[in-house]
Amino acid sequence: GAYIVRILVIITALAAAALAATEISAVRVDEGPELDGLLDDPCWGAAKWHEGFVQRDPDPGASSTEMTRVAFVYDSQTLYVAFDCRDSDPDGIESHLARRDTYVSTDDNVDLYFSPAGDGRLLYYFSTNPAGVKLDQLYTNRAQWATGQWDGHWDVATAVTDEGWSAEFAVPFANFQFDAAAGNDWLFNAGRVIRRKHEETYLAEVTYTANMHYTEYGA
């Protein structure tokens, strides 16, 4: 049956600021994208795109220096996520081929995690670079525990163009432990790194003293 996915994003300006919850809904589609990294599929035209990535480093709280946006759609089996990473200097994009589960932190990259139970206790983490290297891990809140031994069944495709680069993730719901009937809001965050600028940005702001896996800030 259809899974209803609602992604709850917690947005905060400062650690001491009051939290303001914003709900992002993934759009139900009959057909997902052709996984080629290009964002010309009808489903992405029907999706709601979310911009406004905020720096954690080097200028905490400032807007990303390059336009970044992300969208979510799903069908009865799979959640799809698209990143559109524009770049004013595409020749400066850094990327290398590597084995699966190789850390891509030395390259340009995008990453995201989900906590389907909505409690942040278990975070499913996915990342890639412009070369399409696949990295996945399981984390707990604040990354107090992590394992790279988990290999989910998912796929990603990327494309580099004269406008930047893009990525399409296809993550079957079978990867996640959750009760679809419970109707939980999913905790979530998405990030982008622009390596040549040493710039780290997130859709839901993460303060410099924290990291992506502090769910009270990001997701």
Side-chain angles (χ1 to χ4, degrees):
Y3 294 91
I4 297 176
V5 179
R6 292 181 298 164
I7 304 169
L8 180 67
V9 178
I10 308 301
I11 299 176
T12 180
L14 296 169
L19 298 179
T22 299
E23 187 174 272
I24 294 176
S25 296
V27 175
R28 177 70 159 86
V29 294
D30 293 328
E31 184 177 357
E34 177 185 353
L35 222 62
D36 56 9
L38 300 174
L39 307 179
D40 53 1
D41 307 273
C43 65
W44 300 128
K48 181 178 180 181
W49 288 88
H50 304 277
E51 302 180 23
F53 278 63
V54 179
Q55 292 186 46
R56 176 186 174 274
D57 195 26
D59 189 6
S63 297
S64 174
T65 60
E66 304 285 353
M67 196 283 284
T68 309
R69 60 179 189 158
V70 64
F72 312 86
V73 298
Y74 70 102
D75 58 25
S76 62
Q77 301 294 327
T78 304
L79 173 65
Y80 303 95
V81 184
F83 282 87
D84 184 5
C85 302
R86 303 297 174 90
D87 201 307
S88 56
D89 180 17
D91 291 337
I93 294 173
E94 298 189 25
S95 178
H96 301 85
L97 286 171
R99 294 177 180 271
R100 179 173 179 167
D101 287 339
T102 298
Y103 283 98
V104 292
S105 56
T106 58
D107 290 343
D108 283 61
N109 64 81
V110 292
D111 57 0
L112 65 158
Y113 73 76
F114 302 97
S115 174
D119 56 14
R121 293 182 182 181
L122 186 62
L123 310 178
Y124 296 83
Y125 175 85
F126 307 90
S127 181
T128 195
N129 67 354
V133 174
K134 294 172 64 177
L135 170 63
D136 55 5
Q137 290 187 310
L138 292 181
Y139 285 94
T140 56
N141 185 29
R142 297 192 172 190
Q144 297 175 10
W145 172 87
T147 178
Q149 299 301 310
W150 178 73
D151 283 330
H153 297 285
W154 59 285
D155 208 351
V156 66
T158 58
V160 179
T161 70
D162 57 3
E163 294 184 338
W165 70 284
S166 52
E168 291 176 308
F169 291 78
V171 187
F173 289 108
N175 285 284
F176 304 113
Q177 294 182 17
F178 74 107
D179 180 2
N184 293 327
D185 288 329
W186 291 33
L187 295 176
F188 158 83
N189 206 354
R192 177 189 181 184
V193 169
I194 305 170
R195 180 45 56 204
R196 72 179 182 280
K197 297 182 177 184
H198 305 286
E199 182 175 310
E200 180 182 344
T201 65
Y202 294 99
L203 180 61
E205 184 178 350
V206 179
T207 66
Y208 186 75
T209 55
N211 62 49
M212 183 187 191
H213 308 292
Y214 278 57
T215 56
E216 64 266 38
Y217 293 110

